[in-house]
Amino acid sequence: MADLERVLVLAGGMSPEHEVSVRSGRRVAESLRRLGVEAHSADIDAALLERLRRDPPQVVFPVLHGASGEDGATAEILELSGVPYVGAPPAACRIAFAKPTAKALVAQHGVPVPRGVALPKSAFHDLGAPALLERVVDRLGLPLFVKPEQGGSAFGATSADSPEELSAAMVSCFAYGDKAVIEERIEGTEIAVGVLDLGEGPFDLPPVEIVPDGGVYDYAARYTPGRTEFFSPARLSEAAARAAADAALTAHRVLGLRDYSRTDLIVDSAGRVRFLEVNVAPGLTETSTFPLAVEAAELDFARVCRDLAFNAWNRGRAD
């Protein structure tokens, strides 16, 4: 472990989640420095490739959320540069980042998912939005939940209890992407389950229960201290907790993820667990669920960051 000396933390990016990424990156870099690792931070910009060529770090720790970070682009760049990095390989990132694709794959492996459809903006333009939304409501009923096909931090994600609210939700969604995922809204307990692999295979972290003060886990509720109450481990029955862990581990394995991930789930009143989506680069801020789960597992967050970087460096040396 003493051989790991220099890590480059990539944070920022051009997505709407820029500020969250900066906060995540700052925490990772500070944690690594606390353990004696020389950690520098950089953004994805025109200077990055030259920096990697001129002074390559031992390993890169990307904490880029949203497009260019979780869609596989950054991983492709690092692969081209021959620099070891923490996180999932490019192909796995692309699959996980496309919510309908990830949902279909985990469903094929026995994980329950909400009923839903994925439709592009062009379909509403070509076929007529009112008629198409009427078909959606006829098929899925109400209430519904609308979110962009890609992205996170609840940008463009809206609940709809009526046809009028559904129409407004579509407008909000299309401000953040050209394809919308429309799903039945499951009432229940929202939880996040982290998966971590420190070199001996992936294992689940304690589930984190999310209770936003306004009932909606939007951007402000996610990143404003005090706006959301978290319970870790979540207040679940033993059977529901096991099902949640199995769902997160299945998603991690089926999608080909690596090192760490976070799966978002909802547990209904009957204890039935449904998969919502998975994140290949979960938030690592002070209010993010993944670090809370690490703490609940009685692991040290700084050591986890160091171990992930060390394992990625060893992986690179073995190639």
Side-chain angles (χ1 to χ4, degrees):
M1 190 72 70
D3 291 332
L4 179 66
E5 297 175 349
R6 292 191 307 116
V7 175
L8 179 64
V9 178
L10 289 182
M14 296 297 292
S15 83
E17 299 174 78
H18 173 92
E19 182 56 33
V20 179
S21 174
V22 169
R23 289 170 56 185
S24 291
R26 184 183 305 122
R27 187 174 187 192
V28 170
E30 290 174 351
S31 297
L32 291 171
R33 292 186 197 116
R34 195 163 67 246
L35 296 180
V37 178
E38 181 183 338
H40 298 277
S41 297
D43 204 338
I44 295 287
D45 56 26
L48 178 62
L49 288 175
E50 176 60 20
R51 178 174 187 164
L52 293 175
R53 185 195 66 79
R54 186 184 68 252
D55 185 27
Q58 289 173 296
V59 66
V60 170
F61 200 130
V63 282
L64 293 155
H65 309 315
S68 81
E70 293 184 84
D71 64 358
T74 298
E76 290 281 22
I77 292 166
L78 296 173
E79 294 271 359
L80 288 170
S81 301
V83 180
Y85 60 92
V86 173
C93 290
R94 287 191 292 269
I95 294 170
F97 195 60
K99 294 184 178 74
T101 304
K103 176 182 170 182
L105 283 172
V106 298
Q108 288 175 7
H109 286 77
V111 178
V113 300
R115 294 182 305 127
V117 296
L119 294 168
K121 186 177 182 180
S122 59
F124 290 88
H125 179 270
D126 297 342
L127 302 177
L132 189 49
L133 289 179
E134 182 180 349
R135 298 293 189 281
V136 170
V137 172
D138 288 345
R139 177 68 180 275
L140 300 178
L142 289 166
L144 294 169
F145 194 81
V146 181
K147 58 188 177 183
E149 179 199 27
Q150 300 181 339
S153 291
F155 286 113
T158 313
S159 186
D161 292 295
S162 67
E164 295 74 21
E165 288 184 359
L166 178 59
S167 180
M170 300 304 297
V171 172
S172 175
C173 178
F174 287 135
Y176 290 93
D178 292 330
K179 183 176 284 188
V181 176
I182 310 169
E183 295 178 333
E184 60 176 337
R185 191 180 77 204
I186 308 297
E187 303 294 344
T189 301
E190 190 169 353
I191 62 171
V193 180
V195 172
L196 185 60
D197 186 347
L198 298 178
E200 297 181 356
F203 62 93
D204 57 287
L205 296 172
V208 178
E209 180 181 346
I210 301 160
V211 186
D213 62 1
V216 179
Y217 195 42
D218 57 13
Y219 183 88
R222 288 166 187 256
Y223 302 114
T224 305
R227 286 288 304 273
T228 297
E229 189 173 8
F230 299 99
F231 297 89
S232 187
R235 299 169 297 180
L236 301 174
S237 68
E238 184 176 343
R242 187 64 260 160
D246 289 344
L249 287 167
T250 297
H252 188 90
R253 293 190 177 108
V254 165
L255 300 177
L257 305 185
R258 190 171 65 187
D259 296 333
Y260 72 132
S261 67
R262 189 199 76 226
T263 295
D264 298 334
L265 307 157
I266 194 154
V267 186
D268 67 18
S269 58
R272 182 177 168 87
V273 175
R274 289 179 178 84
F275 170 91
L276 299 178
E277 58 189 75
V278 67
N279 296 263
V280 301
L284 301 175
T285 73
E286 294 76 8
T287 58
S288 298
T289 59
F290 192 89
L292 292 174
V294 168
E295 181 180 346
E298 299 184 350
L299 299 172
D300 180 76
F301 179 75
R303 292 180 181 275
V304 165
C305 291
R306 185 188 63 182
D307 290 350
L308 288 173
F310 181 76
N311 290 342
W313 179 47
N314 268 342
R315 190 163 58 227
R317 291 195 296 171
D319 291 342

